[in-house]
Amino acid sequence: MLLSSLSILMGAILVPSDYLWAYSTHIIIMCLYLIWTKRLIVFFLTLLSLLSVFFHEFNSPEPFPVFDGAIVWVDFDDRKLTFPEPLLTKLQGAIQGQSIAITYQTANGNWHSQDNFTLREFAPHTSNQHDSLLYKGRTARLVIPAKEGAWWQRQLYVKRQAAQITVEFADGEIERLDNSPYNVRDKLTNRLDSALQSYDSWRFSKALLLGQNDLWSEKNTWVIRTLGLAHLFVVSGLHTGFMFVIGRLISRVIWLLLPAKMLLSGLTRWHCDAAIVIPMLFGYAYITNWGEPVVRASIMLSVYLCARMLALKASPHGIIIFALWLILLVEPRSILSPGLWLSFSMVFLLIGYCQTTVKLSRLLMVQLMLSTASMVLILGWQEAISSVSILTNVVLIPFAAFVWFPWGIAACVEVVVVGTDLSYSILDVILRLIIGGVDWLAFELPLLPFEQYASSAPRLLMLFLIGFWVYQSPLKRGLLCVVGIWSTLFASAFIEENGANLTIFNSDGRLMVKDKSTVLMVDSWAAHDLNRLLFDGYVMPAQNRVYLLSPADMTAMTPEQLLSLNVSWVVLRKYASTQIMAMMMALKVDWVIVEDHESLSFFFENDRTVLRHSACIYSFFLLKSDTCKRVEKLESVLNYIQT
């Protein structure tokens, strides 16, 4: 019933603009068919889908005016931006009603991003009670959304942001910003940080419970990605499931305590579950900043509870499809989010595999199947993963579900309500042992390099085996599928890797450029003559972009030198001084950092250049570090210019 409506919502985004005539013809024929067959319910849902598409996609907003270096006042409390009067008037006329995203850097060097800012209608010098909440900065970079652009542009397109503005705040403004949480969520996070940040494990617990990894180092990120545990520390449907179970337990206790008079009035246990669990789910979604996976899972579980409360005879697959239709009805562009497909594919696999009575052995097999399937689904998002990823997931997911998550939630409630941290101090002892074991697994055991496959045939084979495995469930011959998947996965460890065409690596603080066999350049070869450190000829000859290896003495990079050479990108061995970084930003010179024992490799494949940074062996769409974002930007620049 919902497939026709889903096709309308999906087609509005996925169909290229040149084929919109075919898309509209399909809709007209389908609507006429529904009227002729008198399928009024489906026709009504189709009309809702059409209205959603019309209001979301066919009211094209005007493009954001391009500007740079303007003064801006930011009100984080009301999510308002104010520009100087002439620019404010121009912007208000061009982007009336559109949302703007901003990024900024705090004193600790962490980057933050916030969406859905709008323009303020009055200048900050006017008298207003909110003036003390305004933070003065300067726009440093502007990113415009693009459906076919780089991943950060696609993210803006999906989130319907008119632009993303990078704002540079002065030191005094950053201090005010760090000390002034502007909503309940941030006040809660700051209180937990002040009480628990002294514990070494809090950086992982904060990511598990709240989805915030701002306390992680590059090493922590690498370990989690390598072991395939990202889904544990990016608040997702899994965490919403944990909260669902906790809510059901609380509801069960309340149900047992209810007086008999209420039970005889027609109230059922499903009514009690819906009244308690649904607010808990969306309250948790608010605390975790309305993450898309959490909202999706909350909608799915809420639809399930409502169906049971109303005694509707709906299959699990029907409930999930209806939830997918609701999500796309509200935001059709979420069809472009990989997380949407990952969430729903895992839920469908879970439903398809759980066809019999739940037993302990069955739960173990479900965990094994989901861990194996997730490894196949992230193929292409990561370059390599640990050979013990499946085993690690089988052990840590139950531990997180039954121990870490509920214990951590209880400890946070203790901190907020009572003001003590006794329960977390006990949990920290257990977590330190587990974290030490996780580090050992990541660094000591071999990796499976996914990108060794020369074609997509191995991945297609594994996807087919997963589908066949679910289809055969619960028959034992389904074990042949998992053996085939594991054999294909582990085969990548025995495929010999082709070396990079060009590599920039940092050896004990010295930057070097080499091809497959020869050292081409060392940063110490030039004293103050930067001409000797230009390597754009090795990367992309006969182009107008200039790429520079930073000299051993970075003070040699003067504004005059960079301007005379028209430098576009600089490879740094570490973060330079504040003055040098400010100079490069002012000159619009981009940079990428290759720290000690790290490398940046260039692979020239036909007409395309592929970059791999040793600190970014993953290419996951969530929680990228600043270095990984810059490597992706450099790769997109290289490929854009070549075409």
Side-chain angles (χ1 to χ4, degrees):
M1 181 179 71
L2 292 172
L3 292 179
S4 59
S5 299
L6 278 174
S7 67
I8 291 174
L9 294 170
M10 296 168 63
I13 305 299
L14 299 179
V15 171
S17 56
D18 293 339
Y19 294 94
L20 284 177
W21 62 271
Y23 167 71
S24 58
T25 303
H26 157 73
I27 294 175
I28 294 171
I29 293 174
M30 184 170 57
C31 290
L32 292 174
Y33 172 76
L34 293 175
I35 295 173
W36 180 60
T37 56
K38 298 181 180 180
R39 302 175 66 183
L40 299 182
I41 295 179
V42 181
F43 181 66
F44 174 71
L45 296 178
T46 302
L47 286 180
L48 285 181
S49 302
L50 281 172
L51 290 174
S52 174
V53 168
F54 177 79
F55 287 113
H56 280 100
E57 301 304 321
F58 296 119
N59 292 329
S60 301
E62 295 185 31
F64 195 92
V66 178
F67 65 92
D68 201 3
I71 298 295
V72 61
W73 289 267
V74 184
D75 185 345
F76 288 97
D77 190 30
D78 292 336
R79 290 188 177 270
K80 299 286 186 180
L81 298 177
T82 302
F83 292 92
E85 194 63 41
L87 183 57
L88 181 66
T89 304
K90 178 182 177 182
L91 291 175
Q92 282 180 330
I95 60 164
Q96 190 68 33
Q98 297 188 59
S99 298
I100 305 169
I102 69 166
T103 60
Y104 60 93
Q105 190 175 29
T106 52
N108 58 9
N110 291 328
W111 283 91
H112 301 269
S113 177
Q114 295 190 36
D115 301 328
N116 300 319
F117 281 80
T118 56
L119 294 180
R120 198 181 183 97
E121 296 182 356
F122 54 89
H125 61 268
T126 58
S127 175
N128 189 277
Q129 60 179 348
H130 292 294
D131 283 355
S132 60
L133 300 177
L134 298 178
Y135 298 88
K136 183 180 179 181
R138 183 178 293 274
T139 61
R141 182 168 173 256
L142 182 72
V143 178
I144 302 297
K147 183 178 178 180
E148 306 295 336
W151 74 267
W152 52 85
Q153 293 178 294
R154 294 197 300 270
Q155 286 293 98
L156 292 176
Y157 174 81
V158 172
K159 294 179 179 178
R160 297 186 183 277
Q161 303 298 301
Q164 183 183 71
I165 302 173
T166 300
V167 181
E168 294 178 346
F169 293 107
D171 293 340
E173 296 293 276
I174 291 177
E175 233 177 278
R176 285 180 57 213
L177 186 59
D178 286 341
N179 297 326
S180 302
Y182 42 85
N183 57 36
V184 175
R185 183 190 305 112
D186 293 321
K187 290 178 181 178
L188 175 64
T189 302
N190 285 0
R191 183 166 183 177
L192 293 174
D193 278 340
S194 61
L196 302 176
Q197 198 165 357
S198 59
Y199 294 103
D200 188 56
S201 64
W202 172 241
R203 64 186 189 273
F204 293 102
S205 296
K206 184 179 180 181
L208 175 75
L209 302 174
L210 305 176
Q212 300 179 17
N213 70 341
D214 53 296
L215 301 177
W216 282 10
S217 64
E218 290 283 347
K219 173 193 169 185
N220 300 145
T221 306
W222 183 87
V223 168
I224 295 303
R225 297 284 184 243
T226 301
L227 289 173
L229 297 173
H231 58 96
L232 269 182
F233 299 100
V234 178
V235 173
S236 62
L238 180 67
H239 302 75
T240 310
F242 295 162
M243 187 59 66
F244 177 81
V245 173
I246 293 174
R248 289 289 301 274
L249 293 176
I250 295 174
S251 174
R252 180 68 60 87
V253 173
I254 294 176
W255 174 257
L256 295 175
L257 297 177
L258 286 176
K261 182 184 294 186
M262 294 188 65
L263 301 181
L264 294 174
S265 65
L267 182 71
T268 66
R269 186 165 60 88
W270 292 109
H271 288 84
C272 187
D273 285 346
I276 293 171
V277 175
I278 293 177
M280 284 185 62
L281 293 178
F282 286 97
Y284 183 64
Y286 168 76
I287 295 298
T288 55
N289 200 22
W290 301 108
E292 290 183 11
V294 180
V295 173
R296 286 195 294 266
S298 299
I299 292 175
M300 281 191 282
L301 293 172
S302 298
V303 169
Y304 167 74
L305 287 176
C306 290
R308 298 304 300 265
M309 181 181 66
L310 298 174
L312 298 177
K313 294 182 179 180
S315 67
H317 291 97
I319 292 175
I320 299 305
I321 292 174
F322 182 70
L324 176 60
W325 178 74
L326 280 179
I327 292 170
L328 294 180
L329 186 70
V330 175
E331 180 47 85
R333 289 186 184 180
S334 59
I335 196 71
L336 298 176
S337 172
L340 177 78
W341 294 110
L342 185 60
S343 298
F344 277 92
S345 60
M346 295 303 289
V347 171
F348 274 110
L349 285 174
L350 182 61
I351 293 173
Y353 196 73
C354 294
Q355 300 174 2
T356 59
T357 304
V358 176
K359 298 179 181 179
L360 183 60
S361 59
R362 188 66 177 167
L363 290 176
L364 180 62
M365 286 300 296
V366 167
Q367 181 59 60
L368 191 67
M369 188 276 291
L370 292 179
S371 299
T372 303
S374 64
M375 285 188 68
V376 177
L377 291 174
I378 64 175
L379 261 168
W381 292 349
Q382 291 187 211
E383 179 184 336
I385 200 165
S386 175
S387 56
V388 293
S389 174
I390 296 175
L391 179 62
T392 306
N393 274 270
V394 169
V395 173
L396 283 187
I397 289 181
F399 173 77
F402 298 111
V403 180
W404 194 351
F405 190 87
W407 196 336
I409 291 290
C412 291
V413 172
E414 178 192 354
V415 169
V416 174
V417 177
V418 183
T420 60
D421 59 356
L422 178 61
S423 58
Y424 193 84
S425 64
I426 301 173
L427 177 63
D428 179 69
V429 176
I430 303 173
L431 293 181
R432 277 186 293 172
L433 296 175
I434 293 176
I435 293 169
V438 165
D439 285 347
W440 183 86
L441 291 173
F443 286 103
E444 298 299 328
L445 297 182
L447 301 180
L448 303 178
F450 284 165
E451 294 191 0
Q452 298 293 81
Y453 297 121
S455 71
S456 59
R459 183 181 183 184
L460 294 175
L461 173 62
M462 288 186 285
L463 289 173
F464 170 78
L465 290 175
I466 287 176
F468 188 72
W469 187 7
V470 174
Y471 176 75
Q472 289 294 316
S473 173
L475 301 179
K476 292 184 179 180
R477 62 173 173 265
L479 293 176
L480 296 175
C481 297
V482 72
V483 172
I485 294 171
W486 289 355
S487 300
T488 309
L489 282 172
F490 282 86
S492 65
F494 303 100
I495 302 175
E496 185 178 354
E497 180 180 10
N498 294 323
N501 298 92
L502 190 75
T503 305
I504 301 175
F505 62 95
N506 188 327
S507 177
D508 298 323
R510 299 176 62 195
L511 285 177
M512 302 181 185
V513 180
K514 61 171 293 187
D515 58 13
K516 292 186 176 182
S517 59
T518 308
V519 174
L520 305 174
M521 188 181 298
V522 181
D523 60 4
S524 59
W525 288 2
H528 291 77
D529 184 10
L530 300 188
N531 276 291
R532 302 183 63 184
L533 296 178
L534 301 179
F535 64 93
D536 44 285
Y538 300 113
V539 178
M540 42 188 309
Q543 297 291 345
N544 58 356
R545 293 282 179 130
V546 178
Y547 298 86
L548 174 70
L549 197 71
S550 65
D553 180 11
M554 284 195 282
T555 59
M557 291 193 302
T558 62
E560 294 79 13
Q561 289 263 36
L562 295 178
L563 285 172
S564 64
L565 296 173
N566 195 26
V567 175
S568 303
W569 282 80
V570 179
V571 179
L572 302 174
R573 73 175 61 82
K574 61 180 180 180
Y575 279 99
S577 64
T578 305
Q579 293 81 2
I580 293 179
M581 301 299 280
M583 174 195 68
M584 289 194 296
M585 292 183 68
L587 296 176
K588 301 186 185 304
V589 175
D590 285 301
W591 67 87
V592 61
I593 299 176
V594 180
E595 297 193 51
D596 196 15
H597 302 302
E598 293 182 353
S599 63
L600 176 63
S601 301
F602 296 75
F603 296 83
F604 305 134
E605 301 175 356
N606 299 324
D607 294 330
R608 184 169 180 265
T609 300
V610 177
L611 298 187
R612 294 182 190 171
H613 195 292
S614 59
C616 306
I617 67 162
Y618 53 89
S619 180
F620 207 68
F621 62 93
L622 294 174
L623 300 178
K624 292 179 184 289
S625 67
D626 183 62
T627 297
C628 302
K629 291 178 183 178
R630 292 183 179 277
V631 171
E632 280 206 358
K633 181 180 179 181
L634 175 57
E635 181 177 298
S636 66
V637 168
L638 288 169
N639 290 304
Y640 174 76
I641 293 176
Q642 287 183 355
T643 56

